[in-house]
Amino acid sequence: MIVGAPDAGDTAWLLTSTALVLLMTPGLAFFYGGMVRSKSVLNMMMMSLSAIAVVWLLWLAFGFSMVFGDNVIGGWIGNPLQFAGFEGLLGGVYTSAAGTVSIPLVGTVPALVFAAFQAGFAMVTVALISGAVADRMRFVPWVLFAALWSTLAYFPVAHWVFSLDGLTSEFGGWITNKLGAIDFAGGTAVEINAGVAGLVLALVVGKRRGWPRDPMRPHNLPAVMLGAGLLWFGWFGFNAGSSLAADGVAAVALVNTMGTGAMSMAAWLVVEKLRDGHATSFGAASGVVAGLVAITPSCTAVTPIGAAAIGIASGALCALAIGLKYRFGYDDSLDVVGVHLVGGIVGTLMIGLVASAQMPAGVDGLLYGGGLHQLCVQAVAVAAVFAYCAVVTTGIAFAIKAVMGVRADAQHEADGLDEHEHAESAYDFGVSHGGSNKPGLFGK
């Protein structure tokens, strides 16, 4: 890792992006919390927020090192001891009377800021999975699942995708460096990874009692829309921040992130209107997220016109894909599969179709005269992450189920998980007696 003086502008942008990415997990808590029934909203939000604590502990101990350390075990992971406890990211001269600074850097930014930025990616990826098992998974098994899945699924796949040769270590992951797949900010490592895990976990935990017979409508649509807005806001840090510099690459990523979210929302609403006769606020929020998912891998590979095409495709296809759970009988409570898995696949594969060599990634897709090579490469990356995550998640889920169980008690599920898992209620519907606690003329 190089040592030197950080660039002030790049560092300021990555500090800002780190805060934006961290905001995405509380934003997701609002997004998911509004979707569930009122009796389990706190449990849903806690499943998202707990990912912050679980992931940070692992990230500090060995997670960052597993992702960004030198290849070990045939390149499956990075060396978990190389940067353990952020060793190697500390030290140097931070301040001096002469004004000189010389600290560990990743590119032109402090290595510590880079580590914090990437921690946010891991946190929101784990939190995404929880939406597939809303209303029925116990909290303690969820926390254990989050820890094991981060270690065995996310960290290895993130190493394959995010660890560029020479970035923090001499040799990095195979998907980016050897296969040559393009995944700028995590279409495979974040979106497909979380989507597959959500599908597997939903199958292992089982369906909600009464689904799909009983209506299970979102209890707070304003919270859903607030969550979508916070996610969109944070996604600018997620995508444009991945440039690690305040430069033209970040500008391309930012513009494409804005445009794809907008076009995906429009496409989702058109599908809703044609299919159901109504364009809904819930559909608008879901459409935005579907587009953001799809542009995550491709934001520096496509022009704004290509980004619009990805937005239209992801919005329409994800709107249709959420109906698959009724056809195939899996209870993906909050459409993690329909939005994140399908959206991640669409965005990753469409690089092979609409990428343009005039953009920072420097690759032409099939429609720009680049042939089928990049599309095949992208497909291999999708298949590899899908298969690996499915196998690992299945093993983790069944192991936890065998040891301690994962499903809430039937009565607890009926009453709501907020009361039984957290001894709290999101809303107090008790009758108020005014501002005074003293009895009136006729008592209280």
Short mmCIF file of all heavy atoms in Angstrom, two decimals, residues 51-75:
data_model
loop_
_atom_site.label_atom_id
_atom_site.label_comp_id
_atom_site.label_asym_id
_atom_site.label_seq_id
_atom_site.Cartn_x
_atom_site.Cartn_y
_atom_site.Cartn_z
N ALA A 51 -27.55 -4.88 11.00
CA ALA A 51 -26.49 -5.21 10.05
C ALA A 51 -25.30 -4.27 10.19
O ALA A 51 -24.16 -4.65 9.94
CB ALA A 51 -27.02 -5.18 8.62
N ILE A 52 -25.56 -3.02 10.59
CA ILE A 52 -24.47 -2.06 10.75
C ILE A 52 -23.49 -2.53 11.82
O ILE A 52 -22.27 -2.53 11.62
CB ILE A 52 -25.04 -0.66 11.10
CG1 ILE A 52 -25.88 -0.12 9.93
CG2 ILE A 52 -23.91 0.30 11.45
CD1 ILE A 52 -26.57 1.19 10.22
N ALA A 53 -24.03 -2.95 12.97
CA ALA A 53 -23.17 -3.38 14.07
C ALA A 53 -22.46 -4.70 13.76
O ALA A 53 -21.26 -4.85 13.99
CB ALA A 53 -23.99 -3.52 15.35
N VAL A 54 -23.22 -5.65 13.23
CA VAL A 54 -22.65 -6.97 12.94
C VAL A 54 -21.52 -6.85 11.92
O VAL A 54 -20.41 -7.38 12.11
CB VAL A 54 -23.74 -7.93 12.43
CG1 VAL A 54 -23.11 -9.23 11.92
CG2 VAL A 54 -24.74 -8.22 13.53
N VAL A 55 -21.78 -6.15 10.84
CA VAL A 55 -20.80 -6.06 9.76
C VAL A 55 -19.57 -5.27 10.20
O VAL A 55 -18.43 -5.64 9.89
CB VAL A 55 -21.43 -5.45 8.50
CG1 VAL A 55 -20.36 -5.10 7.47
CG2 VAL A 55 -22.44 -6.41 7.89
N TRP A 56 -19.77 -4.18 10.94
CA TRP A 56 -18.61 -3.38 11.34
C TRP A 56 -17.65 -4.19 12.20
O TRP A 56 -16.43 -4.09 12.03
CB TRP A 56 -19.03 -2.11 12.06
CG TRP A 56 -17.82 -1.29 12.45
CD1 TRP A 56 -17.26 -1.17 13.68
CD2 TRP A 56 -17.00 -0.53 11.56
NE1 TRP A 56 -16.13 -0.38 13.63
CE2 TRP A 56 -15.95 0.03 12.33
CE3 TRP A 56 -17.04 -0.26 10.18
CZ2 TRP A 56 -14.96 0.84 11.77
CZ3 TRP A 56 -16.05 0.55 9.64
CH2 TRP A 56 -15.03 1.08 10.43
N LEU A 57 -18.19 -4.96 13.15
CA LEU A 57 -17.34 -5.78 14.00
C LEU A 57 -16.50 -6.74 13.16
O LEU A 57 -15.28 -6.87 13.35
CB LEU A 57 -18.19 -6.55 15.00
CG LEU A 57 -17.45 -7.55 15.90
CD1 LEU A 57 -16.42 -6.83 16.76
CD2 LEU A 57 -18.44 -8.33 16.76
N LEU A 58 -17.14 -7.42 12.22
CA LEU A 58 -16.42 -8.37 11.37
C LEU A 58 -15.47 -7.65 10.41
O LEU A 58 -14.37 -8.14 10.14
CB LEU A 58 -17.43 -9.20 10.57
CG LEU A 58 -18.42 -10.04 11.39
CD1 LEU A 58 -19.41 -10.72 10.46
CD2 LEU A 58 -17.69 -11.07 12.23
N TRP A 59 -15.91 -6.52 9.90
CA TRP A 59 -15.09 -5.75 8.95
C TRP A 59 -13.79 -5.29 9.60
O TRP A 59 -12.72 -5.40 9.01
CB TRP A 59 -15.90 -4.55 8.49
CG TRP A 59 -15.35 -3.83 7.30
CD1 TRP A 59 -14.78 -2.59 7.28
CD2 TRP A 59 -15.35 -4.26 5.93
NE1 TRP A 59 -14.41 -2.23 6.00
CE2 TRP A 59 -14.77 -3.25 5.15
CE3 TRP A 59 -15.80 -5.41 5.29
CZ2 TRP A 59 -14.61 -3.34 3.77
CZ3 TRP A 59 -15.65 -5.51 3.92
CH2 TRP A 59 -15.06 -4.50 3.17
N LEU A 60 -13.89 -4.80 10.83
CA LEU A 60 -12.71 -4.37 11.56
C LEU A 60 -11.78 -5.54 11.88
O LEU A 60 -10.56 -5.45 11.74
CB LEU A 60 -13.13 -3.66 12.85
CG LEU A 60 -12.02 -3.23 13.82
CD1 LEU A 60 -11.10 -2.22 13.16
CD2 LEU A 60 -12.61 -2.67 15.11
N ALA A 61 -12.37 -6.66 12.31
CA ALA A 61 -11.56 -7.81 12.75
C ALA A 61 -10.85 -8.48 11.58
O ALA A 61 -9.63 -8.73 11.64
CB ALA A 61 -12.45 -8.82 13.48
N PHE A 62 -11.59 -8.78 10.50
CA PHE A 62 -10.95 -9.50 9.38
C PHE A 62 -11.64 -9.30 8.04
O PHE A 62 -11.10 -9.69 7.01
CB PHE A 62 -10.92 -11.02 9.68
CG PHE A 62 -12.27 -11.62 9.98
CD1 PHE A 62 -13.16 -11.94 8.97
CD2 PHE A 62 -12.64 -11.87 11.29
CE1 PHE A 62 -14.41 -12.50 9.24
CE2 PHE A 62 -13.89 -12.43 11.58
CZ PHE A 62 -14.76 -12.74 10.55
N GLY A 63 -12.82 -8.68 8.03
CA GLY A 63 -13.58 -8.58 6.79
C GLY A 63 -12.90 -7.74 5.72
O GLY A 63 -12.81 -8.16 4.56
N PHE A 64 -12.42 -6.56 6.09
CA PHE A 64 -11.73 -5.73 5.10
C PHE A 64 -10.54 -6.48 4.52
O PHE A 64 -10.27 -6.43 3.32
CB PHE A 64 -11.27 -4.42 5.74
CG PHE A 64 -10.47 -3.55 4.81
CD1 PHE A 64 -11.12 -2.76 3.88
CD2 PHE A 64 -9.09 -3.52 4.86
CE1 PHE A 64 -10.39 -1.95 2.99
CE2 PHE A 64 -8.35 -2.73 3.98
CZ PHE A 64 -9.00 -1.94 3.05
N SER A 65 -9.83 -7.21 5.37
CA SER A 65 -8.67 -7.96 4.91
C SER A 65 -9.07 -9.11 4.00
O SER A 65 -8.38 -9.40 3.01
CB SER A 65 -7.90 -8.49 6.13
OG SER A 65 -6.62 -8.93 5.77
N MET A 66 -10.20 -9.78 4.29
CA MET A 66 -10.67 -10.85 3.42
C MET A 66 -11.05 -10.34 2.03
O MET A 66 -10.93 -11.04 1.03
CB MET A 66 -11.88 -11.57 4.04
CG MET A 66 -11.54 -12.54 5.15
SD MET A 66 -13.01 -13.39 5.78
CE MET A 66 -13.50 -14.38 4.35
N VAL A 67 -11.52 -9.10 1.97
CA VAL A 67 -11.93 -8.54 0.68
C VAL A 67 -10.74 -7.95 -0.07
O VAL A 67 -10.58 -8.15 -1.27
CB VAL A 67 -13.03 -7.47 0.88
CG1 VAL A 67 -13.39 -6.82 -0.46
CG2 VAL A 67 -14.27 -8.08 1.51
N PHE A 68 -9.87 -7.22 0.63
CA PHE A 68 -8.83 -6.44 -0.06
C PHE A 68 -7.40 -6.92 0.21
O PHE A 68 -6.45 -6.27 -0.21
CB PHE A 68 -8.98 -4.96 0.30
CG PHE A 68 -10.23 -4.35 -0.28
CD1 PHE A 68 -11.35 -4.13 0.52
CD2 PHE A 68 -10.31 -4.04 -1.62
CE1 PHE A 68 -12.51 -3.59 -0.01
CE2 PHE A 68 -11.46 -3.49 -2.16
CZ PHE A 68 -12.57 -3.27 -1.36
N GLY A 69 -7.25 -8.06 0.91
CA GLY A 69 -5.93 -8.62 1.09
C GLY A 69 -5.48 -9.41 -0.13
O GLY A 69 -6.26 -9.67 -1.06
N ASP A 70 -4.21 -9.79 -0.15
CA ASP A 70 -3.67 -10.61 -1.25
C ASP A 70 -4.38 -11.96 -1.32
O ASP A 70 -4.80 -12.50 -0.30
CB ASP A 70 -2.18 -10.83 -1.05
CG ASP A 70 -1.34 -9.73 -1.67
OD1 ASP A 70 -1.69 -9.27 -2.77
OD2 ASP A 70 -0.35 -9.32 -1.03
N ASN A 71 -4.47 -12.51 -2.50
CA ASN A 71 -5.13 -13.80 -2.71
C ASN A 71 -4.54 -14.90 -1.84
O ASN A 71 -3.32 -15.05 -1.74
CB ASN A 71 -5.00 -14.24 -4.18
CG ASN A 71 -5.90 -13.46 -5.10
OD1 ASN A 71 -6.86 -12.84 -4.66
ND2 ASN A 71 -5.60 -13.48 -6.38
N VAL A 72 -5.41 -15.69 -1.23
CA VAL A 72 -5.03 -16.94 -0.57
C VAL A 72 -6.10 -17.97 -0.93
O VAL A 72 -7.16 -17.64 -1.46
CB VAL A 72 -4.92 -16.79 0.97
CG1 VAL A 72 -3.78 -15.86 1.34
CG2 VAL A 72 -6.24 -16.30 1.57
N ILE A 73 -5.83 -19.22 -0.63
CA ILE A 73 -6.75 -20.33 -0.92
C ILE A 73 -7.19 -20.28 -2.39
O ILE A 73 -8.38 -20.29 -2.74
CB ILE A 73 -7.98 -20.33 0.01
CG1 ILE A 73 -7.56 -20.08 1.46
CG2 ILE A 73 -8.71 -21.68 -0.07
CD1 ILE A 73 -8.74 -20.04 2.44
N GLY A 74 -6.20 -20.18 -3.27
CA GLY A 74 -6.48 -20.18 -4.70
C GLY A 74 -7.22 -18.96 -5.19
O GLY A 74 -7.85 -19.01 -6.26
N GLY A 75 -7.17 -17.86 -4.45
CA GLY A 75 -7.87 -16.65 -4.87
C GLY A 75 -9.31 -16.57 -4.41
O GLY A 75 -10.02 -15.64 -4.79
#
